[in-house]
Amino acid sequence: MNRVLAVARLQAVGRRDGLLWPLVILGIAFAVNLFVFGSMGDEIGDRPVTGGLASVYITGLAFGAVAVAQQFPFALGLSVTRREFAIALGLFTLAQTAIYAVLLVVLQAVEHATDGWGLRLRFFGLGLIDGYGVPTQLLIYGAPMLLMSLIGITLGTVYVRWRTNGVFGGICAVVLVLGLAAGLVTKYGRWPAVGDWLADQSALSLFAGWPSLVAVLLALLSWTALRRATP
Amino acid sequence: MTPVVSVQDVSKRYRSVAAVDGVSFELLRNGIYGLLGRNGAGKTTLMQLLTGQQFATGGTIRVFGADPVENSQVLKQVAFVKESQRYPDTFRVRNVLLAGRLLFPDWDEAFARSLVADFDLPLARPVKKLSRGMLSALGVVVGLASRAPLTFFDEPYLGLDATSRQLFYDRLLADYAEFPRTVVLSTHLIDEVSDLIEHVLLIERGRIVLDEAADTLRGQVVTLTGPASAVDQLIVNTDELHREHLGPLTRATVRGDVPAGRAREAGVQLEPVSLQQLVVRITAREAVS
């Protein structure tokens, strides 16, 4: 366990600069939004929604990929086992997800309490979660973060196992499968049914349940790739 | 003495190529081994197999009595310093030392700091901004300060100037005297390390072609220079490695016992062969056969 915690700590060391950047970008995006909507004054329509939040989730993906591609060869070079590395990365990813979820829920609550920073601006809030309690809110903010991290980690493990060809091959396969699925849905005219299914999902299952399920599948896939990978 | 590493009939194949081909040997506790061989002979692959970084296609490997693959109890006693070691982009020299301190149970922080000072390494500099020589020095610092009971150095000197290489050899020898362990040194600069090495493992095309104590080896291989007939008579019971002709004289390098007295009488001059020449002769012959 000592070694697992040591590797997790090295992940944190490696990401110290990186942990700050998404927050800086988020802060700038937020400041720009405040400025723009502040200067619009009364012209603001009904509850504007911005996409600023996406930057946090995209950095989750990027750091997941880097965490494997750069830390895996380093860790194995220092006599760490693949299993220790994977457990440490899992712990680190969960901790990172929890930190972001708490941060976003708090900011969202502040936004709610100040009626959108006095501007009726919706930057951190998602609207559809207003009726839920804090634990559910944490899940709804956290699960997509976990999913994005796992997509990054999966890309990273495919890279360390099968290098560049593996990554491009994998992306091609995913595009093919999704394209084929979309084509079949179109051919049989089932898009309304898909729409109904999505509309029937609660915010909890749509934003927390399904993303968590996919994240778990990706974690299993990553471990399968990593256990025979060489630095 | 108990073997620290025991390898039996181990192979590593990549499709049609056998990087390591049915290798068997043992490494004993406390000794400095020279793992020698030409480029692509299989040295690095062999060390990757012993440290669980590569998976063998056949044979059994025992390190401290157990299979090293995914074995934390074994691997934490093993340090593998390689020229191609990769570091995370954001890591600074001091972060790498932290990693060593966290991961190697026998790590000596004071020793690490003194080595950093010896090699003039800037603690705050990002690893990716280090020069080739500094990068090698960092690997050497980690390998020495780890005090791992089994330490591999895979061509650790790349880009290191002669002074720094001497510093490495001096520190290694001094620390080894105080804290004996098993050290495997893979290198092309054979002459430089020939005084350091206690045992030679020579690998050629994935096979071990020589596994001998360095002292035994030094006495075994000689060069004879003299008239061809006299040389031929003296080397009948030896293994001829090389022969060249210098005008009327023949110069032969052989492995085996050559009676010095008879050589003197026959006017044949005997010369010892350096470890480096010996390795060149043996590998050249293996390449022909």
Side-chain angles (χ1 to χ4, degrees), chain B residues 4 54 67 93 146 157 173 175-176 192 196 212 219 259 278:
Chain B
V4 165
Q54 284 282 359
D67 185 353
V93 169
S146 74
Y157 51 72
L173 214 52
D175 200 58
Y176 171 75
E192 285 194 5
L196 236 66
E212 196 80 70
L278 191 153

Side-chain angles (χ1 to χ4, degrees), chain B residues 13 51 57 61 106 136 162 168 207 232 238-239 249 257:
Chain B
R13 281 171 216 291
T51 53
T57 9
I61 299 175
D106 297 318
S136 296
F168 165 51
R207 293 169 175 278
D232 284 339
T238 64
D239 184 10
L249 295 179
D257 213 19

Side-chain angles (χ1 to χ4, degrees), chain A residues 7 11 64-65 67-73 75-76 80-90 153-163 218-231, chain B residues 52-53 55 69-70:
Chain A
V7 178
Q11 283 280 1
V68 180
Q70 295 193 356
Q71 294 268 3
F72 177 75
L76 259 73
V80 172
T81 65
R82 293 163 184 84
R83 182 182 300 272
E84 286 166 340
F85 177 81
I87 296 171
L89 182 61
I153 287 170
T154 306
L155 284 172
T157 54
V158 169
Y159 174 74
V160 295
R161 176 78 185 269
W162 294 287
R163 301 292 148 189
L218 288 176
L220 290 174
L221 186 70
S222 299
W223 172 238
T224 309
L226 204 62
R227 55 183 305 209
R228 296 290 294 182
T230 53
Chain B
Q53 299 191 2
F55 303 94
V69 172
E70 291 296 278

Side-chain angles (χ1 to χ4, degrees), chain B:
Chain B
M1 279 207 278
T2 18
V4 165
V5 172
S6 148
V7 171
Q8 263 169 24
D9 198 25
V10 163
S11 298
K12 173 68 186 175
R13 281 171 216 291
Y14 300 96
R15 291 202 178 89
S16 59
V17 192
V20 171
D21 192 4
V23 156
S24 302
F25 64 91
E26 281 185 348
L27 303 181
L28 301 181
R29 194 175 295 279
N30 303 340
I32 300 183
Y33 288 81
L35 179 59
L36 312 177
R38 305 170 69 187
N39 293 325
K43 303 187 293 290
T44 300
T45 308
L46 186 57
M47 286 185 278
Q48 285 175 328
L49 290 170
L50 294 180
T51 53
Q53 299 191 2
Q54 284 282 359
F55 303 94
T57 9
T60 45
I61 299 175
R62 288 286 172 272
V63 178
F64 298 113
D67 185 353
V69 172
E70 291 296 278
N71 191 331
S72 186
Q73 290 309 311
V74 168
L75 290 181
K76 68 183 182 187
Q77 303 180 66
V78 178
F80 181 16
V81 174
K82 56 181 179 295
E83 172 267 316
S84 60
Q85 174 65 47
R86 289 175 52 208
Y87 300 92
D89 280 351
T90 51
F91 264 43
R92 296 168 190 278
V93 169
R94 102 161 74 75
N95 300 142
V96 175
L97 298 182
L98 171 72
R101 184 154 61 82
L102 292 176
L103 293 170
F104 294 113
D106 297 318
W107 179 266
D108 184 328
E109 183 68 14
F111 185 36
R113 296 284 159 162
S114 83
L115 288 167
V116 163
D118 288 342
F119 285 104
D120 239 347
L121 281 172
L123 281 174
R125 190 172 301 179
V127 175
K128 66 174 178 177
K129 296 263 168 67
L130 293 180
S131 70
R132 184 65 249 186
M134 283 177 164
L135 202 60
S136 296
L138 179 59
V140 162
V141 170
V142 171
L144 288 176
S146 74
R147 294 232 170 100
L150 176 60
T151 307
F152 294 91
F153 288 102
D154 186 9
E155 298 182 36
Y157 51 72
L158 221 77
L160 274 187
D161 56 61
T163 316
S164 303
R165 292 203 299 274
Q166 193 56 52
L167 191 63
F168 165 51
Y169 305 138
D170 290 347
R171 292 292 178 275
L172 172 63
L173 214 52
D175 200 58
Y176 171 75
E178 211 178 330
F179 301 92
R181 50 207 195 248
T182 305
V183 176
V184 178
L185 204 55
S186 160
T187 176
H188 290 305
L189 304 179
I190 301 168
D191 273 345
E192 285 194 5
V193 297
S194 60
D195 292 339
L196 236 66
I197 293 176
E198 297 170 347
H199 197 104
V200 174
L201 280 172
L202 180 58
I203 183 167
E204 174 64 22
R205 293 190 194 177
R207 293 169 175 278
I208 298 278
V209 294
L210 192 66
D211 178 356
E212 196 80 70
D215 284 338
T216 316
L217 214 50
R218 282 188 196 99
Q220 269 184 1
V221 182
V222 287
T223 297
L224 304 90
T225 312
S229 56
V231 169
D232 284 339
Q233 275 177 13
L234 283 165
I235 64 173
V236 279
N237 290 322
T238 64
D239 184 10
E240 185 177 326
L241 297 175
H242 182 72
R243 174 182 289 245
E244 56 195 351
H245 301 283
L246 307 155
L249 295 179
T250 287
R251 191 181 167 94
T253 306
V254 299
R255 185 177 175 192
D257 213 19
V258 178
R262 272 181 53 205
R264 211 176 305 115
E265 286 162 22
V268 171
Q269 202 187 338
L270 284 185
E271 283 170 284
V273 171
S274 75
L275 191 57
Q276 174 149 316
Q277 273 179 300
L278 191 153
V279 165
V280 169
R281 294 298 175 226
I282 294 181
T283 45
R285 193 182 59 165
E286 290 293 323
V288 172
S289 65

